[in-house]
Amino acid sequence: MKEYRYGNNKKSNKGKYIVSGILIVLAVSVGIYFWIINQNKAETPDNVAEQQTAENTNEQPVEEQKDETSNESEQQNEGTLTNGGYIEGQPEPTEPTYIDGVLIANKKYPLPSDFAPGENKEARAAFEKMAGDAKSAGFELVAFSTYRSYEYQETLYNRYVERDGKENADRYSARPGYSEHQTGLAFDVGEKGNEDLWLTEEFGETPAGKWLVENADKYGFILRYPKGKEAITGYMYESWHFRYVGVDLAQKVKKSNLTLEEFLNIQ
């Protein structure tokens, strides 16, 4: 009888183990099932969108990004700034540009092709007075190039391009419409007897060149393209190129040690 009871207890325990095992398997399966469902739900498009929205909270709104892109396109349509400083595709103006009452002609502000004022009489009178005082100091100054028409500048520029290439020509010669000489206010100055130094940097190292730089403002002229300012003016150093702006402005510009672009805050 004892052996019989022992045998029944063994079968009863075995059955309990089987039931317990089945319940455990079912519980694990159910857990896995719900875990898979939750994972799939997390990867639905709606949840992904919510996650991206949360991540982009500190970024610019899409509308602002589009506006910036639009502005960049509009700026590109207005013209592209070249290495030479010109804005390619810039339309010809119908009127000359004046900034604070000063006539401007540079690589960003061209003149109309029909703008033809001739040599400025006030500038010529100022030069003659300066030349007279320079002669008393022992220097005979010559204005060997002043007013140039649009057509003449076009011929001159094309000649330089043919000789030195466009990139080099753009460093020392203005394209037609962009030359200060067309304003009638620019004077290329040299010393009589030293013609071999005209249009050279060496002129600025001569006694006559140094006198000119030191005294030109007293007569209303400024050295228009100083040394080390090519990135601002667009042109290489020209010791011979002087621009008439009037005595008051010339003295202020010289005292500031700035170019005309910098002094007038021309962008």
Side-chain angles (χ1 to χ4, degrees):
M1 293 295 291
K2 289 183 179 179
E3 289 181 3
Y4 181 74
R5 291 196 190 98
Y6 179 79
N8 283 340
N9 288 338
K10 185 177 181 181
K11 288 181 179 180
S12 177
N13 290 336
K14 183 177 182 181
K16 290 179 180 179
Y17 294 148
I18 292 173
V19 172
S20 298
I22 292 172
L23 291 175
I24 292 172
V25 170
L26 286 174
V28 171
S29 298
V30 171
I32 293 174
Y33 172 75
F34 282 107
W35 180 81
I36 292 173
I37 289 177
N38 289 332
Q39 286 297 106
N40 290 335
K41 184 179 180 181
E43 295 300 324
T44 58
D46 290 340
N47 288 325
V48 171
E50 291 175 1
Q51 182 180 3
Q52 289 177 342
T53 301
E55 291 175 352
N56 294 332
T57 300
N58 295 325
E59 295 181 1
Q60 289 180 312
V62 174
E63 291 78 10
E64 291 184 11
Q65 293 175 355
K66 288 182 179 179
D67 289 342
E68 288 184 359
T69 302
S70 175
N71 289 336
E72 289 176 0
S73 298
E74 290 175 1
Q75 290 173 0
Q76 290 174 355
N77 289 336
E78 291 176 358
T80 303
L81 192 64
T82 68
N83 290 333
Y86 291 101
I87 301 175
E88 296 294 358
Q90 186 178 25
E92 180 182 323
T94 57
E95 297 291 337
T97 299
Y98 290 85
I99 296 179
D100 291 345
V102 180
L103 178 57
I104 300 300
N106 62 15
K107 289 186 174 182
K108 293 182 181 178
Y109 294 96
L111 299 167
S113 59
D114 60 355
F115 184 73
E119 183 182 271
N120 184 276
K121 293 182 179 179
E122 184 179 332
R124 168 53 73 172
F127 174 78
E128 293 299 336
K129 186 175 188 309
M130 180 171 66
D133 291 345
K135 192 170 185 178
S136 298
F139 313 113
E140 191 167 354
L141 299 180
V142 179
F144 58 85
S145 181
T146 59
Y147 171 74
R148 299 177 196 159
S149 67
Y150 179 98
E151 292 74 19
Y152 181 76
Q153 186 66 31
E154 184 174 32
T155 299
L156 191 63
Y157 174 77
N158 289 338
R159 186 190 309 162
Y160 290 139
V161 170
E162 184 177 353
R163 186 187 70 184
D164 299 328
K166 193 171 186 178
E167 183 176 351
N168 288 325
D170 281 340
R171 294 189 60 221
Y172 63 81
S173 179
R175 297 179 185 180
Y178 295 83
S179 174
E180 270 204 332
H181 284 282
Q182 192 181 337
T183 67
L185 296 165
F187 282 54
D188 286 345
V189 182
E191 183 182 17
K192 186 175 181 180
N194 280 324
E195 286 80 2
D196 58 324
L197 297 181
W198 290 6
L199 298 174
T200 69
E201 292 186 8
E202 285 74 19
F203 169 68
E205 300 303 317
T206 65
K210 291 179 179 179
W211 184 93
L212 187 57
V213 170
E214 183 63 30
N215 295 280
D217 63 298
K218 300 173 185 175
Y219 307 91
F221 288 91
I222 60 171
L223 179 65
R224 186 64 178 87
Y225 306 125
K227 187 177 295 185
K229 297 287 188 174
E230 181 172 343
I232 297 171
T233 65
Y235 296 101
M236 58 182 283
Y237 166 51
E238 294 188 356
S239 65
W240 60 90
H241 185 112
F242 287 80
R243 160 70 191 269
Y244 182 76
V245 294
V247 174
D248 182 59
L249 180 57
Q251 292 184 336
K252 290 178 180 178
V253 172
K254 182 186 177 185
K255 185 177 181 180
S256 71
N257 289 318
L258 299 174
T259 64
L260 190 60
E261 281 81 6
E262 292 171 306
F263 187 86
L264 295 178
N265 195 28
I266 301 174
Q267 302 298 324

